[in-house]
Every structure is written in C-alpha cells, then in structure tokens.
Amino acid sequence: MKCPYCGYSESRVIDSRPTDEGERIRRRRECLKCGKRFTTYEVIENVPIVVIKKDKSRETFDRSKLLNGLLRACEKRPVSMDTLERIVDEIENLLQNSLDREVSSQRIGTYAMEKLKNVDEVAYVRFASVYRQFKDINSFMEELSKIINSKKE
C-alpha cells in the first residue's frame, strides 16, 4: 500500500475493524518512512460469473432469474421464500467458489434440481419438466419413476 503523502510502499497496520455493514474492513496504517497515518478500506472483489446458455450466448449470472425459475416451480407449494433464497445463495456460493468463471446454464439447472429434490418433489418435477424439456409423456414418466424408486430405497 503506497503512502498517500510520500509514496513509500511500506506501511504497518495499526488498527483493523469491520465497517458498520460488515462489507468492508477499515485499516489505519502508518507509513514506515514518513510516519504519517492514513486509512484504507478492504473490500471483497466479486469476479462476475458468466453463464453459457444453450444457444452458446453468454451473459452474467443473474440470481433473480434463478430465483424466478424456482418461484415458478414452487407456485402454490408449501415452500417458503426463505428456503428459495437459501437455495439461490447456496448455488451462487458454489459458483463463486469454483475455479471456473464461466458455467453452463445446464450445470446451474442441475444444481437447482438437486436442491429442489430435497425440498419439494412436485416443485422438482415442475422445474425438471421445463429444464429438461420433456418431449413426451414417457420421458416425464421416467423422471417420476426415478423419484419413486429413490423413495423406496
């Protein structure tokens, strides 16, 4: 960190504390050359996640799109908004913590289906029917039989 007074690049941290929102850390520093003190703020850098869609186009990850898809699947189901927010948070954390900066929409959909399967089976089937674009009743029945078989085990 360069001193704003003399430009020297070495300083020591005197005090560190989070800001009121907890989003940043405030640091008081002292220049090792001129001895003057200054304040810096440290923030988390969020690198945007790029979603590669089915048509190979790219767009930045938008958590509201994922939430809206989950909301549609859970319409008239006993799934709270808090649960859906938690699912979106978990998926977003998975994406942020992965080393990939680009992720396919299919992978995001798979994550969402895995989460919904544990929350509400009807919502899971609704989401899967849109996500997997079932072509006929047989492919839909295959998915239902997977759920039934996993319940028996």
Side-chain angles (χ1 to χ4, degrees):
M1 184 61 60
K2 278 188 176 179
C3 173
Y5 304 105
C6 70
Y8 190 65
S9 61
E10 297 292 320
S11 63
R12 70 183 182 101
V13 176
I14 298 168
D15 181 41
S16 238
R17 64 179 71 165
T19 59
D20 293 335
E21 311 86 40
E23 299 289 324
R24 301 184 295 173
I25 295 178
R26 178 186 182 271
R27 299 198 193 279
R28 281 297 287 163
R29 297 178 177 271
E30 183 177 50
C31 177
L32 295 178
K33 185 177 179 186
C34 70
K36 290 194 177 180
R37 293 182 176 186
F38 57 99
T39 303
T40 60
Y41 292 91
E42 184 178 303
V43 295
I44 296 173
E45 179 182 33
N46 283 328
V47 179
I49 299 164
V50 176
V51 178
I52 304 169
K53 299 175 76 172
K54 286 181 185 175
D55 65 357
K56 304 294 183 217
S57 65
R58 287 170 160 71
E59 65 180 47
T60 8
F61 174 75
D62 184 358
R63 64 178 282 125
S64 64
K65 280 187 172 184
L66 178 58
L67 183 60
N68 286 335
L70 294 173
L71 278 168
R72 271 182 265 131
C74 294
E75 202 168 291
K76 297 183 182 179
R77 298 296 306 155
V79 180
S80 71
M81 190 65 180
D82 288 342
T83 302
L84 295 178
E85 287 280 353
R86 182 182 43 79
I87 290 172
V88 172
D89 288 343
E90 289 172 5
I91 293 172
E92 190 172 18
N93 285 337
L94 270 171
L95 298 174
Q96 286 288 348
N97 292 334
S98 83
L99 298 176
D100 300 327
R101 292 296 98 200
E102 291 187 343
V103 63
S104 68
S105 59
Q106 288 85 2
R107 191 160 72 174
I108 295 171
T110 302
Y111 289 154
M113 286 193 322
E114 288 171 6
K115 302 286 183 186
L116 274 177
K117 194 177 207 175
N118 299 324
V119 172
D120 188 284
E121 290 172 346
V122 173
Y124 163 75
V125 171
R126 286 179 180 172
F127 191 89
S129 69
V130 172
Y131 169 71
R132 292 214 175 123
Q133 297 176 339
F134 295 133
K135 301 288 186 248
D136 55 27
I137 193 72
N138 291 331
S139 55
F140 191 74
M141 290 304 292
E142 284 176 31
E143 192 64 37
L144 288 176
S145 61
K146 286 179 191 175
I147 294 172
I148 293 167
N149 291 335
S150 70
K151 278 215 166 239
K152 288 178 183 176
E153 296 171 0

